[in-house]
Amino acid sequence: MARLPPQQEKPVHWVGSSKSDLLALPPEVVSDMGYALGLAQLGGKHPDAKPWKGEGPGVYEIVERFNGDAYRGVYTVRFEGAVYVLHVFQKKSPSGIRTAQTDVDLVRERLKRAREHYERKYPKPPAGKAGRYDG
């Protein structure tokens, strides 16, 4: 049987308070969300991860239920070579199934911050220079 080369593990970047927010959740939820993020680091997607509506492709949410409560983690794999965790929260929407507007706005703002960080940390090579041999 042929062996596949190991996948390059992408770094995880935590935007705002997302890491401390995750660690404040019940350990069972932390474990499940951590597993889903680990899959994202390796280029995969957890079966329960679904697209986050409103921000286009590459932004996902993980929904976990524990002891009658719902928890969500929102992350993006939109930027090549990195995973950004945008927001982790216990869902307490006053509008039923819908996510509270404050959470939606926070995801949008943190996605913008993630894009700015990515462009600073992972700059693109100048056009026409990549792979050029001058010898």
Side-chain angles (χ1 to χ4, degrees):
M1 181 161 101
R3 297 184 103 196
L4 296 175
Q7 286 282 352
Q8 175 84 20
E9 187 173 298
K10 299 174 187 177
V12 172
H13 298 283
W14 303 87
V15 184
S17 63
S18 59
K19 186 172 186 177
S20 60
D21 293 341
L22 174 65
L23 295 176
L25 300 181
E28 295 84 355
V29 175
V30 174
S31 178
D32 290 346
M33 286 195 183
Y35 178 70
L37 292 171
L39 288 175
Q41 282 184 275
L42 296 173
K45 185 171 91 56
H46 191 279
D48 293 336
K50 59 185 182 178
W52 174 263
K53 293 181 174 57
E55 293 302 328
V59 181
Y60 296 96
E61 70 174 323
I62 308 158
V63 179
E64 292 294 331
R65 298 189 197 298
F66 180 73
N67 280 351
D69 293 319
Y71 302 91
R72 294 193 178 177
V74 182
Y75 67 96
T76 185
V77 294
R78 180 178 290 173
F79 312 115
E80 185 178 339
V83 175
Y84 283 84
V85 182
L86 304 173
H87 188 30
V88 178
F89 59 103
Q90 181 177 355
K91 188 171 178 310
K92 295 181 178 180
S93 177
S95 55
I97 294 174
R98 300 180 87 200
T99 302
Q101 189 62 44
T102 54
D103 291 312
V104 172
D105 292 343
L106 188 57
V107 167
R108 181 171 290 124
E109 172 60 29
R110 288 183 175 177
L111 181 59
K112 179 181 172 187
R113 287 172 46 196
R115 178 178 293 112
E116 291 166 355
H117 177 269
Y118 180 79
E119 289 171 354
R120 278 193 321 274
K121 186 162 177 70
Y122 304 96
K124 290 183 179 179
K129 300 284 184 182
R132 185 175 168 183
Y133 178 69
D134 290 328

